[in-house]
């Protein structure tokens, strides 16, 4: 459905997108994961025809964005990072205007808009001025705008950024729902977010694609950090000495005492060794009760570090 | 295009901009009309139109400052440029909206000659001709404002730069009389033009070889012109800059003469600036 071939975008000397290629199949929900400045927005702006690539090409449904931009744009609904809203219009006026510029037939328009407003749940604010809406509602109007004209492909740039947790869940469910009828490319800088809705994830860093996999495989590959955070009721020195002497423990350090009479420690295990059981037995034998023990998730930076080093090891 | 035009017209009258423009224009033109026609019992209305052209200096920046700049500031240009509309359609919609507000205002001022006609006969056709010229002159200024607003996403900067550009056009005739007209200065000017174009090429594609090629070809043309028709360079500076002298071409209309060449000139002037605006927006996508 969407083919991106050797896409490169340079701003002067700075390379924002570096020779990126991928395809998205019809009906797929693809997640675009990367930290800020990775080149997600730039790539999306190029696919939608807002920016032009320095090199490479984009094809949507077989049409090239440079050669037949109109055909491509008809097939894409785009929700940019900042919803492109006219603050001086009401929601209804705005959606009518978008229908106008997308050349939607006037006869079917009212019905289509009603359906979209129903689905996105913005019917009750249709008469309100956009500038008076809350951030969550603005985001939804931005999404409604992208849905006008029933485009086959939806491109959503960080659709949940700046929303509160309840709104995030609503928008995610909405995206899953939309995924039944549309091909979706969605960007995010939060791993759980793409895992929650996407069937496939592309990880992009510094303009390059560093991994492409299903969310399950990625979390399997990345889930095991080998690091544990443990709170022990016992004296710091002895605990550190005890754990440090265990086989398979690479390092251990104290991160301070949060409760009186306890110590929080960070344990790092050797590669591919599970030290949870030995740690438990050692501490219980010494009668230092474990108050909690939890694995430490990778931060996004570590994910990129890990993915990039893994890729390097493979190649 | 029509959708953009409609939205833009609405925006003019939902914000103070449209009213400020109309109010200012009607106030000043009304003042001049009252002063020179009514008080002095002078039936010549064309004189009023001729003397109020300076209003453009103030009202055109108000009318055009937010046209393109506000779109890029609010990021709504992303909506327009990723819709199936062509850039030309978008820009024309905006241009015609601004021209439309101007036209509506101008139609209201038609009341003045109608008032005059109660006191005696007026030269109807001459006044219509004068209005056509006045409208085209204003539209040409608006096209400059449109172009300037595509250069920045800051309305205030757009307004100030537009004002300066219009001011420059105003004082041009006066500046022109002081410029050298001899052959050497013409050649120097031509070479500077070539250098300017080459620099522009360099900054847009950053390729020194293409830039050098452009400069060489340009200098070649200058040299060829010099050897085939050296008189070409006499007064070249003045002739080139005169092209921008919008006001001079209004003189005919002011005298009640309706001729084709200034009409064609104004329309081409506006078209060129609309075209430049389109190019500017396209170029941003490539940068
Ligand atoms: N208009 C621009 N001019 C120069 N550099 C830009 C421009 N837009 C983006 N960049 C740079 O390109 C890189 C990618 O940006 P972006 O695509 O916005 O990343 P993301 O959306 O993943 O956060 C960043 O390093 C950013 O600084
Ligand atoms: Mg971004």
């Amino acid at each position: 459905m969407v083919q991106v071939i050797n896409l490169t975008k340079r701003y002067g000397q700075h390379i924002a997108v570096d020779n990126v290629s991928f395809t998205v199949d019809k009906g797929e929900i693809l997640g675009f994961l990367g930290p800020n400045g990775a080149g997600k927005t730039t790539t999306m702006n190029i696919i939608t025809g807002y920016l032009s690539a320095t090199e490479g090409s984009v094809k949507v449904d077989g049409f090239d964005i440079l050669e037949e931009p109109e055909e491509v744009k008809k097939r894409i609904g785009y929700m940019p990072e900042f919803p492109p809203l006219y603050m001086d219009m009401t929601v209804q006026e705005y959606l009518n205007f978008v229908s106008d510029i997308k050349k939607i037939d006037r006869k079917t328009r009212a019905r289509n808009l009603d359906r979209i407003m129903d689905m996105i749940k913005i019917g009750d604010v249709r008469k309100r001025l956009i500038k008076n809406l809350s951030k969550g509602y603005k985001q939804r109007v931005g999404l409604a705008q992208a849905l006008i004209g029933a485009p086959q492909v939806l491109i959503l740039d960080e659709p949940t950024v700046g929303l509160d947790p309840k709104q995030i869940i609503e928008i995610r469910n909405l995206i899953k729902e939309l995924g039944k009828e549309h091909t979706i490319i969605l960007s995010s800088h939060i791993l759980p977010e793409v895992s929650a809705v996407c069937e496939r994830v592309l990880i992009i860093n510094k303009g390059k694609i560093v991994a492409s996999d299903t969310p399950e495989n990625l979390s399997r590959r990345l889930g095991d950090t080998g690091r544990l955070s443990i709170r022990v009721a016992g004296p710091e020195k002895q605990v550190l000495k005890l754990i440090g002497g265990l086989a398979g423990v690479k390092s251990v350090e104290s991160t301070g005492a949060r409760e009186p009479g306890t110590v929080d420690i960070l344990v790092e295990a050797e590669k591919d060794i599970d030290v949870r059981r030995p740690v438990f037995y050692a501490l219980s034998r010494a009668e230092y009760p474990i108050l909690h023990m939890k694995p430490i998730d990778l931060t996004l930076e570590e994910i990129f570090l890990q993915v990039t080093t893994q890729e390097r090891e493979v190649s | 295009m029509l959708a953009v035009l409609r939205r833009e017209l609405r925006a003019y009258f939902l914000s103070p901009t449209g009213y400020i423009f109309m109010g200012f224009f009607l106030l000043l033109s009304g003042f001049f009309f009252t002063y020179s026609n009514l008080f002095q019992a002078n039936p010549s209305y064309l004189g009023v139109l001729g003397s109020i052209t300076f209003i453009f200096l103030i009202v055109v920046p108000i009318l055009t400052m937010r046209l393109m700049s506000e779109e890029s500031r609010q990021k709504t240009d992303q909506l327009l440029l990723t819709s199936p509309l062509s850039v030309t359609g978008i820009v024309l919609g905006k241009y015609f909206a601004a021209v439309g507000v101007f036209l509506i205002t101008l139609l209201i001022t038609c009341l003045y000659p109608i008032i005059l006609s109660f006191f005696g006969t007026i030269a109807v056709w001459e006044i219509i001709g004068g209005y056509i010229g006045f409208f085209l002159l204003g539209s040409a200024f608006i096209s400059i404002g449109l172009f300037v607003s595509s250069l920045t996403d800051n309305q205030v900067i757009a307004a100030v730069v537009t004002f300066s550009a219009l001011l420059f056009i105003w004082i041009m005739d006066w500046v022109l009389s002081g410029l050298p007209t001899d052959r050497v200065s013409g050649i120097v000017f031509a070479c500077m033009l070539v250098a300017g174009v080459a620099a522009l090429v360099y900054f847009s594609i950053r390729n020194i070889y293409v830039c050098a090629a452009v400069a060489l070809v340009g200098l070649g043309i200058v040299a060829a012109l010099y050897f085939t028709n050296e008189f070409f360079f006499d007064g070249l500076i003045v002739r080139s800059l005169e092209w921008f002298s919008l006001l001079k071409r209004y003189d005919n209309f002011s005298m009640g003469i309706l001729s084709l060449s200034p009409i064609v000139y104004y329309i081409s002037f506006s078209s060129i600036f609309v075209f430049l605006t389109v190019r500017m927006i396209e170029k941003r996508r490539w940068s």
Side-chain angles (χ1 to χ4, degrees), chain A residues 11 14 16 34-43 81 157-158:
Chain A
Y11 291 110
H14 179 75
N36 284 324
K40 305 180 296 289
T41 301
T42 307
T43 310
E81 200 165 354
D157 195 358
E158 311 233 6

Side-chain angles (χ1 to χ4, degrees), chain A residues 23 36 40 54 74 79 85-86 119 121 132 138 143 149 222 252 278:
Chain A
T23 58
N36 284 324
K40 305 180 296 289
T54 314
K74 264 197 270 180
M79 178 163 93
L85 306 172
Y86 290 102
M119 183 157 65
K121 300 201 186 67
N132 297 333
K138 280 183 187 152
L143 186 56
L222 306 172
V252 56

Side-chain angles (χ1 to χ4, degrees), chain B residues 57 141 144 160-176 179 240-242 244-247:
Chain B
L57 214 53
F141 285 136
I144 298 177
V160 171
V161 174
T162 306
F163 175 79
S164 320
L166 297 190
L167 189 66
F168 177 73
I169 286 176
W170 236 265
I171 56 175
M172 179 112 69
D173 290 320
W174 175 69
V175 171
L176 282 183
L179 288 176
S240 314
L241 291 181
E242 254 176 2
F244 284 95
S245 182
L246 288 161
L247 287 167

Side-chain angles (χ1 to χ4, degrees), chain A residues 49-50 52 73 80 86 93, chain B residues 6 10 71 77-78 81 285:
Chain A
Y50 178 64
S52 298
K73 288 172 180 178
Y86 290 102
E93 284 166 347
Chain B
R6 265 201 307 275
R10 253 187 90 258
E71 299 277 353
D77 58 334
Q78 285 197 317
L81 293 175
R285 298 170 54 199

Side-chain angles (χ1 to χ4, degrees), chain A residues 165-179:
Chain A
K166 184 165 162 281
Q167 294 168 331
I168 290 180
I169 291 173
E170 283 172 3
I171 293 270
R172 277 187 199 167
N173 289 337
L174 207 55
I175 293 171
K176 273 191 212 161
E177 195 59 35
L178 290 169

Side-chain angles (χ1 to χ4, degrees), chain A residues 31-33 191 194-195 198-204 210-224 298 300 303-304 306-307 310-311:
Chain A
F32 222 54
L33 181 68
L191 177 63
V194 285
S195 319
C198 300
E199 293 150 9
R200 189 157 64 93
V201 180
L202 286 184
I203 299 188
I204 177 169
V210 290
S212 158
D213 215 329
T214 62
E216 293 76 34
N217 285 346
L218 273 179
S219 22
R220 202 172 309 135
R221 255 166 77 185
L222 306 172
D224 183 22
L298 285 179
L300 203 57
I303 292 181
F304 293 109
Q306 186 154 346
V307 168
Q310 273 181 7
E311 299 286 303

